[in-house]
């Protein structure tokens, strides 16, 4: 904070008066600088927390509100094979790697197809819907713009496959993402730490100096396991209360200052 100067009508304690000029003329000029007192420590400015080395974004539910697209695709696929799907079952898939979700749909739909084919059909439908309209989460584009202006690299860390992630990145402001890590690029998906560790390695940064933004318990577990400072932003499923986890109700509550404080080790709760 910048110091505020004061104009004094008469010298007060600690104000140093300039010597009277030669010739005896009276002078009202004073150097209004307080002299140090032994009993008062020197004032120092509060340091501003450094911005994170990188921001690692989850995609579905965090950057874009595509979970309704996935749920719609699941219902359509299960119904096409004579099965029944519920919203409760759909919520259990949020944040999972796609092959795990494919196996659950195969078994519980039931859908008599290999898990890999189920994933392909779901992806095809969700990509089709994203091409019609990208449902950006409120505040997402603004935060991406602020990070870009500040020179903070971003990575997209998603369990969706490259075919979908590329559609989203293509429609984001140019240069928003330095790299992407997708579910078909890692052997172990979320909740394992591998996706976030891979992103940090590609960017050449310490994961502990990054901030991860997630919406699902599965993704949050992955980010925390990688040692990444993590912000959970609620979307379709509740964000848990966990040690070391910051929380927000919306990206509209999150700015560069928020991310800097989280990167510095503060655990914030800006939910409303």
């Amino acid at each position: 904070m910048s110091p505020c100067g004061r104009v004094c009508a008469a010298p007060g304690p600690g104000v140093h008066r300039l010597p009277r000029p030669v010739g005896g003329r009276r002078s009202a000029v004073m150097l209004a600088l307080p002299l140090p007192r032994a009993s008062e420590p020197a004032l120092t400015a509060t340091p501003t927390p450094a911005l994170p080395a990188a921001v690692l974004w989850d995609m579905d539910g965090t950057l874009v509100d595509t979970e309704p697209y996935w749920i719609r695709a699941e219902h359509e696929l299960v119904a096409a094979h004579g099965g029944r799907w519920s919203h409760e079952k759909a919520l259990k898939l949020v944040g999972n790697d796609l092959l795990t979700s494919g196996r659950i749909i195969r078994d519980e739909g039931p859908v008599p197809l290999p898990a890999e084919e189920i994933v392909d059909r779901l992806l095809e439908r969700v990509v089709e819907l994203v091409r019609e309209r990208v449902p950006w989460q409120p505040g997402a584009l603004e935060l991406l713009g602020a990070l870009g202006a500040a020179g903070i690299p971003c990575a997209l860390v998603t369990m969706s496959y490259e075919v979908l992630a590329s559609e989203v990145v293509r429609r984001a402001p140019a240069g928003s993402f330095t790299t992407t890590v997708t579910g078909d690029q890692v052997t172990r998906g979320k909740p394992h730490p591998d996706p976030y560790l891979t992103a940090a390695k590609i960017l050449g940064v310490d994961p502990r100096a990054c901030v991860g933004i997630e919406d699902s318990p599965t993704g949050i577990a992955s980010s925390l396991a990688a040692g990444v400072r993590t912000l959970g932003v609620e979307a379709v499923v509740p964000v848990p209360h966990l040690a070391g986890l910051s929380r927000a109700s919306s990206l509209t509550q999150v700015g560069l200052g928020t991310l800097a404080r989280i990167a510095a080790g503060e655990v914030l709760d800006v939910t409303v």
Side-chain angles (χ1 to χ4, degrees):
M1 180 179 296
S2 300
C4 177
R6 292 186 294 177
V7 177
C8 300
V15 177
H16 177 60
R17 184 188 292 276
L18 289 175
R20 181 177 297 177
V22 177
R25 289 185 299 168
R26 302 175 66 87
S27 172
V29 178
M30 293 183 296
L31 182 61
L33 295 176
L35 296 177
R37 299 178 182 177
S39 60
E40 295 179 358
L43 296 178
T44 57
T46 302
T48 302
L51 289 169
V55 175
L56 314 179
W57 292 76
D58 173 54
M59 186 176 76
D60 296 295
T62 301
L63 179 68
V64 287
D65 188 21
T66 45
E67 293 298 355
Y69 287 0
W70 284 103
I71 293 172
R72 175 176 172 180
E74 293 160 17
H75 277 277
E76 291 174 352
L77 179 62
V78 172
H81 289 84
R84 298 186 63 181
W85 197 241
S86 68
H87 189 66
E88 290 69 29
K89 288 181 178 179
L91 292 182
K92 293 179 182 178
L93 306 188
V94 174
N96 287 347
D97 71 85
L98 290 183
L99 278 177
T100 296
S101 295
R103 296 184 190 104
I104 293 172
I105 293 171
R106 178 196 63 196
D107 297 339
E108 297 187 17
V111 175
L113 296 172
E116 292 80 2
E117 186 172 346
I118 290 173
V119 168
D120 288 343
R121 295 196 182 191
L122 293 176
L123 274 168
E124 182 179 4
R125 180 62 173 137
V126 175
V127 167
E128 182 180 86
L129 293 169
V130 164
R131 285 173 177 163
E132 293 176 5
R133 186 182 73 88
V134 179
W136 300 104
Q137 288 285 23
L141 294 178
E142 292 81 0
L143 186 54
L144 280 175
L147 290 166
I152 307 301
C154 291
L156 195 62
V157 185
T158 175
M159 288 299 90
S160 288
Y161 287 0
E162 195 276 335
V163 64
L164 175 57
S166 63
E167 291 291 337
V168 173
V169 170
R170 190 176 298 122
R171 288 162 173 77
S176 293
F177 292 98
T178 303
T179 190
T180 61
V181 175
T182 59
D184 49 346
Q185 296 173 343
V186 294
T187 303
R188 298 191 306 172
K190 301 174 185 179
H192 296 287
D194 302 26
Y196 280 96
L197 293 175
T198 300
K201 184 176 181 180
I202 292 172
L203 294 175
V205 295
D206 186 339
R208 295 169 296 181
C210 301
V211 173
I213 307 179
E214 274 282 357
D215 73 300
S216 71
T218 304
I220 289 167
S222 174
S223 181
L224 289 174
V228 175
R229 309 283 190 185
T230 306
L231 171 65
V233 183
E234 189 162 319
V236 175
V237 295
V239 171
H241 291 268
L242 298 173
L245 176 66
S246 294
R247 303 168 74 250
S249 299
S250 167
L251 290 174
T252 59
Q253 300 171 309
V254 180
L256 295 184
T258 308
L259 297 179
R261 292 173 64 187
I262 294 172
E266 289 191 58
V267 177
L268 305 179
D269 191 330
V270 290
T271 56
V272 294

